[in-house]
């Protein structure tokens, strides 16, 4: 079976590797460089932390487990950093924090309540304000170096026979009646395939996808700020009332204001993103005082756009009434990629994956 995967981000790279391991002939195509879409602008926290309902929590927990298994299959996984996460919330969120810890424990998810002294032991250079309240410790969580992951999975796929084509935009999904027969790229060439997979993330609702082939997305945005690690010397993921932060390798710490803190969207200008970054860094300097000395040229702020289906849940599966076509588009794609790739490969080889039943593209969704 010949398969074309459109998009070489976290999802496309994971699919390419898993399908190639199963002995299938895979070509992955990307309009730009591999891994430079949303996967390059992600907080990349591998977790199943606040992901209701229980079935979606379990899917993400299985995603975390799939990362550990993938690491074992590779023998080493320098991209996976299972450092654990510390979380505390604002005064009005204390009950919600208690409830979350309680629910996660009931779901047998590693979650522990710790005190401020223990928090200080985990992060000795953090300046505590005394109003941290309920503090959670989630030892099984971590973060992923998405660029390393994508490059290494694609390299391993190429070594097993996959074709990796970058700088080649798919302009048309070619159909013959009810069957997708392949794609046409910007150079006008037709590439035949028995199965075409839409792994185009936040572009999966735009041309060349149309009608039933297109996803329905409601993207949201986030700001990612890279600062020198000596200003924010953290060794764990930290989820605080205003922002998340974590180590990012190479002497860098990544900060991300929490969703809803700023009212931004895809049209927000780079100048405004920089102004908001300056604002969050000013707030963050209360716990990391060295940030107040940081000059604008010493940090970098970028916007990331989430590939968020309208109901927030993954879109994975074939499209009813159309042969030769399959969609894999999701938020939380860093956590879910290796699991989805494994389940999708299982389905393509002929065994339906019931874990995906709630996430079929044709389901009824309300905006
Ligand atoms: C601010 C932010 C924070 C996030 N935090 C987390 C987190 O903490 N944990 C987590 O699990 N997830 C997180 N996510 C989500 C996660 O990053 C995404 O779900 C994941 O990166 C999506 O990967 P993807 O491969 O689907 O998309 P992408 O990485 O965007 O890849 C899609 C690729 O398709 C290519 N493409 C599109 N159209 C075409 C075409 N016509 N022809 C050829 N190529 C095409 C693009 O060039 C792109 O490279 C976050 C996202 C954002 C924005």
């Amino acid at each position: 079976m010949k398969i074309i995967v459109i998009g070489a981000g976290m999802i496309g790279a994971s699919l390419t590797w898993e399908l190639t391991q199963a002995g299938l002939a895979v070509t992955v195509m990307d309009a730009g460089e591999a891994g430079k879409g949303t996967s390059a602008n992600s907080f990349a926290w591998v977790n199943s932390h606040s992901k209701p309902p229980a079935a979606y929590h379990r899917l993400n927990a299985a995603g975390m487990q799939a990362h550990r298994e993938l690491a074992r299959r590779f023998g080493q996984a320098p991209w996976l950093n299972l450092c654990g996460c510390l979380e505390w919330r604002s005064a009005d969120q204390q009950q919600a924090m208690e409830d979350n810890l309680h629910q996660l424990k009931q779901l047998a998810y590693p979650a522990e309540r710790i005190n401020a002294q223990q928090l200080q032991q985990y992060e000795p250079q953090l300046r505590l304000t005394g109003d941290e309240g309920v503090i959670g410790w989630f030892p099984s969580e971590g973060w992923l170096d998405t660029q390393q992951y994508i490059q290494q999975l694609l390299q391993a796929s190429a070594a097993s026979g996959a074709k990796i084509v970058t700088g080649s935009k798919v302009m048309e999904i070619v159909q013959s009646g009810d069957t997708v027969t392949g794609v046409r790229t910007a150079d006008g060439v037709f590439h035949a395939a028995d199965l075409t997979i839409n792994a185009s993330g936040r572009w999966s609702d735009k041309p060349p996808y149309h009608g039933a082939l297109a996803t329905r997305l409601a993207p949201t945005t986030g700001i990612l700020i890279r600062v020198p690690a000596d200003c924010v010397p953290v060794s764990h993921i930290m989820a605080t009332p205003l922002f998340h932060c974590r180590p990012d390798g190479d002497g860098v710490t990544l900060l991300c204001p929490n969703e809803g803190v700023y009212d931004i969207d895809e049209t927000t200008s780079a100048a405004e993103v920089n102004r908001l970054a300056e604002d969050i860094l000013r707030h963050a300097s209360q716990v990391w005082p060295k940030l107040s000395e940081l000059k604008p040229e010493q940090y970098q702020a970028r916007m990331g756009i989430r590939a968020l289906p309208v109901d927030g849940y993954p879109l994975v599966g074939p499209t009813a009434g159309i042969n030769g076509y399959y969609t894999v588009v999701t938020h939380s794609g860093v956590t879910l990629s290796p699991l989805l790739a494994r389940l999708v490969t299982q389905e393509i080889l002929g065994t339906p994956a019931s874990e995906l039943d709630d996430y079929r593209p044709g389901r009824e969704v309300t905006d």
Side-chain angles (χ1 to χ4, degrees), residues 55-351:
Y56 187 54
H57 165 85
R58 279 194 295 274
L59 191 78
N60 280 272
M64 296 168 71
Q65 179 59 23
H67 271 291
R68 290 189 283 267
E69 284 162 14
L70 184 73
R72 275 197 290 276
R73 284 162 78 189
F74 262 78
Q76 53 164 354
W79 56 77
L80 184 61
N81 304 279
L82 296 175
C83 55
C85 169
L86 297 154
E87 181 188 12
W88 65 99
R89 298 189 188 177
S90 56
D92 62 338
Q93 286 289 311
Q94 293 303 301
Q95 190 56 49
M97 181 71 199
E98 291 267 24
D99 293 347
N100 193 33
L101 275 169
H102 178 70
Q103 280 159 12
L104 288 172
K105 277 186 188 165
Q106 284 201 318
L107 290 161
Y109 186 80
E112 203 183 306
R113 184 176 173 161
I114 60 168
N115 59 34
Q117 201 184 353
Q118 289 168 300
L119 169 61
Q120 192 76 82
Q121 279 163 2
Y122 281 119
E123 290 294 348
Q125 298 196 56
L126 172 72
R127 189 160 83 181
L128 297 181
T129 58
D131 50 14
E132 285 76 22
V134 180
I135 304 165
W137 165 235
F138 306 92
S140 63
E141 299 178 358
W143 63 276
L144 198 91
D145 182 330
T146 58
Q147 300 304 294
Q148 262 201 71
Y149 176 97
I150 290 166
Q151 292 309 327
Q152 295 211 23
L153 262 68
L154 289 179
Q155 268 173 28
S157 303
S160 301
K163 268 179 75 182
I164 321 292
V165 184
T166 53
S168 183
K169 185 169 183 177
V170 170
M171 303 300 284
E172 184 187 352
I173 309 295
V174 180
Q175 268 181 262
S176 170
D178 291 340
T179 301
V180 170
T181 56
V183 303
R184 196 174 309 282
T185 42
D187 54 8
V189 175
F190 169 67
H191 306 262
D194 302 301
L195 183 69
T196 297
I197 303 184
N198 175 353
S200 298
R202 71 181 184 87
W203 294 274
S204 62
D205 61 344
K206 300 176 174 56
Y209 305 106
H210 54 82
L213 303 183
T215 59
R216 285 180 60 218
L217 302 181
T220 61
T221 53
I223 300 175
L224 299 142
I225 310 159
R226 289 187 161 82
V227 301
D230 64 332
C231 292
V232 184
V234 296
S235 45
H236 303 87
I237 296 166
M238 272 189 277
T240 82
L242 276 180
F243 59 88
H244 292 51
C245 63
R246 64 160 173 81
D248 197 35
D250 293 335
V252 172
T253 294
L254 181 66
L255 272 98
C256 182
N258 294 348
E259 265 191 276
V261 170
Y262 297 120
D263 187 17
I264 57 167
D265 61 28
E266 288 177 62
T267 64
T268 305
S269 68
E272 179 65 358
V273 167
N274 281 325
R275 195 190 66 73
L276 297 174
E278 202 180 311
D279 185 62
I280 201 78
L281 292 178
R282 194 168 48 247
H283 285 290
S285 68
Q286 286 166 17
V287 284
W288 303 112
K290 269 188 96 175
L291 276 176
S292 57
E293 297 159 21
L294 200 64
K295 309 253 181 318
E297 59 274 19
Q298 291 177 287
Y299 64 87
Q300 182 208 52
R302 293 172 72 168
M303 184 191 282
I305 302 172
R306 297 181 179 88
L308 196 67
V310 284
D311 63 357
Y313 297 106
L315 291 166
V316 188
T319 297
I322 297 185
N323 303 311
Y325 185 71
Y326 200 101
T327 299
V328 190
V329 173
T330 188
H331 179 53
S332 290
V334 173
T335 303
L336 292 172
S337 285
L339 174 71
L340 293 182
R342 210 175 63 204
L343 296 175
V344 169
T345 301
Q346 173 190 318
E347 292 213 316
I348 290 170
L349 293 176
T351 308

